Every structure is written in structure tokens, then in C-alpha cells.
Amino acid sequence: MSNLDYLNSGKIRNDWTLAEIEAIYNQPFNDLLFAAQLIHRQNFNPNEVQTSTLLSIKTGACPEDCAYCPQSGHYNTGLSKEKLMAVQKVIEKAQQAKKNGATRFCMGAAWRSPREKDLDVVIEMVRQVKDLGLETCVTLGMLTDEQAGKLAEAGLDYYNHNLDTSPEYYEQIITTRSYEHRLDTLQNVRDAGINVCSGGIIGMGEKINDRYGLIKQLANMPEHPQSVPINMLVAVPGTPLGEVEKLDEFDFIRMIATARIVMPNSYVRLSAGREDMNEQTQSLCYFAGANSIFYGEKLLTTANPEAEADSILFKRLGIQPEQRHHSKEQVEEEAAEIVAKGVAKAAEETTSSKKPLFYDATVGNARGATEVN
């Protein structure tokens, strides 16, 4: 077995070197896609794609200075500041997302970190969205271990916190939060038992070594992120990256394939930037191992292909939206919750009834029960 064959084997590892990731990324394009597709088939149905919907529940005026982000309060992008959305409004959006075929509902707030009173509102959103039968994901900025624990208790399925780029290029993109801050939040999420959603953005002016470095950081976490969003920069006028040269789409496809090879069990999300991709590029991304998308017309504040366009492309490719699969433990847990709610409701109705029923052992009739008026 050659060294490249070993690297392309799909073995789960957390000790990747930069040189190994470089070798995978730079192999001939057809070989790269072939290796990625083989690994994809070993771990997933190659003709299913997980579909999520993303909603901005609090928009604008973020104190962070992420150079790519129109929500940063440091830049004038014409984006209006909006308060935290009401719970009922969020639930209505979630219901529509489920109707459109999404299996996961993601909620994003433009915060450095959530205040406790805001976190309580988000927790209620999580609970009610889960009651709809949807998986839940939130991205709220940095979390303490205590906050992560509260979200876990509410039943949160995924927490998104991207690394954005390599450690070496990071300070060129953001100065208000360190790379270690991001890693600490991800550890708090992991320790709370919540699935990690973490990836990055390419096309921000980084060198190719920074792309290898991003993949290396993600793949060498204690556990691979369960979801890895790979974003292509959406250059927004008014941000420092508003005039960055457009990324070569073959480079983007190579990132998708490399992520699939080094993180075989992770969902690789074809994320921001799809609005600027033609159907052929998106199709190659699916072949390279992308098996998750955001489904709907908007990604927080930037455009995204409409759900109808995705459905049409799926049909042409023979792809089906992945259905939410429940483990035996999840089924038993949800069944127990339903029974518990039913028992509690019955007890409440009995307590409030004007005609209580009781068993009177002194009564010798055949039925042994007496109704008191």
C-alpha cells in the first residue's frame, strides 16, 4: 500500500499532519474525488443529503469584528439591527421549515456570548422546536460550561461555532476573540454532550497552507465534529473582505473532498456561497462527499438557493433529502416523555374535576366504585 493509499483509506484518526493533508488535497482531481466518494459510500447513503434551515433570531450590532460578517457593528453594510425574535415567531418559521422538508432547524444570534436572560428565551425556543419533531441547532457565540449544560438539559442537538480559518491566519480575520476562545467553547459543548458543528470559510485571502491548517485543526479535535460546514466567502460590500477576489470553485471542491477523507463519519455541509455556484459545481461537491445543506432562501443575512431550486437539482441527480433517523434509545426516551406528559395531564384533569372518583372498599357492590355528587 502506497502512502497516498493509506491516507485515502478512511481510517479514523486525530493525529493528521499538515503534510498529509497537503498530499490528499493536491492529488489528481479525479483521484481525489474517487477516494472521497468511496469513503462517503462506506459511511453514508451517497444519494441522501441532510437538509437544515437557518434562521437569524437576533440580527446585527454584533460587537465582534469578523472581517467577513455584515452583522458586525464595526462595519457599515446597511444591515438593520433587530432585537431577539419572539418565541412564537420562531416556531412559525420552524413549522414552515419542516413543511418544506428540513429535518434540522438552526437558530443564529449575533452575540459575542449570550446573556442569561436571552439564553432562557433561546432554551424555550429549543424546547418548542424539538416538540415539532425537528433536530435543533443554535449558534450564539462563546459559551461557558454552565451555559452549555443548560442547553444540553433543554435537549439541544447541535451547537455551531466555526473556527473560520487556520490559527496562523486567524488574526487577519478577527481580533476581538482568540482562537483559544473558540476551542474552549467547542470543548464546553463537547463536554455537555451536545453534537459539535464546526467548520470554516475559504476564499478570505488566505494562503493554501491555511486551508490545510483549518482541516488539520478540525480533524485533530478529540472527536471529529459531527457536522463540518465548509463555506465559500460571500463578499459583502462594506466589510473588509467586500472586494476579495472570487475563489476558484475547483479549490472549494477540493476542500469538500479533503474534509470527507479525513473526517469520514462527519456530515460535510455545503454551506454559504451556494448562491454563486452553478448546478455543476454543486453536483461535484455532492460527489466529493458533501451530504448536508441549508435549505431555504437565506443564510442569516446572505442569499441562499431557494428550497424549490434545491428540490429540482436533487431530482435531476437522484438525491433524496435524508429523513431523521431515531436510535432505539431516542425512540424509548421520546416514548417515555410522551407517557409522562400524558400521565401528568391526566392527573391535572383528575385533580381539577368537580366529580372525583374514589374506590370505597366498604361498598359491597360488584363494581366497588362510588361516584360522589
Side-chain angles (χ1 to χ4, degrees), residues 101-156:
T103 58
R104 185 180 307 158
F105 192 69
C106 305
M107 295 161 276
W111 292 321
R112 174 177 171 81
S113 57
R115 296 178 298 180
E116 290 306 314
K117 68 176 184 177
D118 292 327
L119 185 65
D120 290 341
V121 177
V122 174
I123 284 172
E124 183 59 28
M125 292 176 183
V126 169
R127 288 176 174 149
Q128 292 196 32
V129 170
K130 283 188 70 71
D131 285 344
L132 298 177
L134 289 165
E135 289 183 325
T136 53
C137 177
V138 297
T139 178
L140 313 172
M142 294 184 293
L143 289 184
T144 65
D145 54 354
E146 182 179 355
Q147 289 174 324
K150 288 180 179 179
L151 287 166
E153 288 175 8
L156 181 68

Side-chain angles (χ1 to χ4, degrees), residues 144-310:
T144 65
D145 54 354
E146 182 179 355
Q147 289 174 324
K150 288 180 179 179
L151 287 166
E153 288 175 8
L156 181 68
D157 297 294
Y158 288 81
Y159 192 85
N160 168 260
H161 201 60
N162 289 333
L163 295 181
D164 287 349
T165 187
S166 70
E168 294 75 18
Y169 192 64
Y170 183 79
E171 288 186 0
Q172 302 299 314
I173 300 301
I174 177 173
T175 65
T176 52
R177 183 192 311 179
S178 72
Y179 212 78
E180 285 302 317
H181 284 149
R182 292 184 183 268
L183 294 175
D184 288 346
T185 288
L186 291 174
Q187 188 60 53
N188 290 337
V189 168
R190 194 179 296 111
D191 288 345
I194 301 170
N195 291 312
V196 169
C197 175
S198 187
I201 308 170
I202 63 170
M204 298 190 294
E206 74 281 355
K207 297 184 183 303
I208 195 165
N209 274 4
D210 295 309
R211 297 174 193 166
Y212 310 151
L214 170 63
I215 294 291
K216 178 175 179 285
Q217 285 292 319
L218 294 167
N220 286 350
M221 288 182 180
E223 183 181 358
H224 293 165
Q226 284 72 31
S227 178
V228 180
I230 304 296
N231 300 272
M232 185 167 70
L233 176 69
V234 178
V236 179
T239 65
L241 299 180
E243 303 298 327
V244 171
E245 185 178 349
K246 192 174 184 298
L247 182 74
D248 185 327
E249 292 181 348
F250 281 103
D251 290 341
F252 186 81
I253 297 166
R254 283 184 178 274
M255 279 292 286
I256 294 286
T258 304
R260 168 53 63 221
I261 290 170
V262 302
M263 292 174 279
N265 291 334
S266 300
Y267 281 84
V268 177
R269 176 172 295 144
L270 178 56
S271 201
R274 284 202 303 126
E275 177 73 8
D276 294 328
M277 296 180 196
N278 60 31
E279 292 183 337
Q280 291 75 19
T281 298
Q282 293 185 60
S283 299
L284 281 172
C285 287
Y286 294 134
F287 188 78
N291 62 338
S292 178
I293 62 169
F294 280 123
Y295 202 57
E297 75 279 3
K298 186 175 281 192
L299 283 182
L300 292 180
T301 59
T302 58
N304 192 50
E306 294 185 4
E308 184 179 359
D310 287 323

Side-chain angles (χ1 to χ4, degrees), residues 307-338:
E308 184 179 359
D310 287 323
S311 296
I312 292 171
L313 180 58
F314 279 11
K315 186 174 182 180
R316 293 179 68 186
L317 298 177
I319 288 175
Q320 298 289 330
E322 182 187 74
Q323 300 302 306
R324 186 181 177 192
H325 301 295
H326 298 269
S327 67
K328 180 181 178 182
E329 292 76 12
Q330 286 175 316
V331 171
E332 291 175 348
E333 183 178 327
E334 291 180 6
E337 287 181 3
I338 291 171

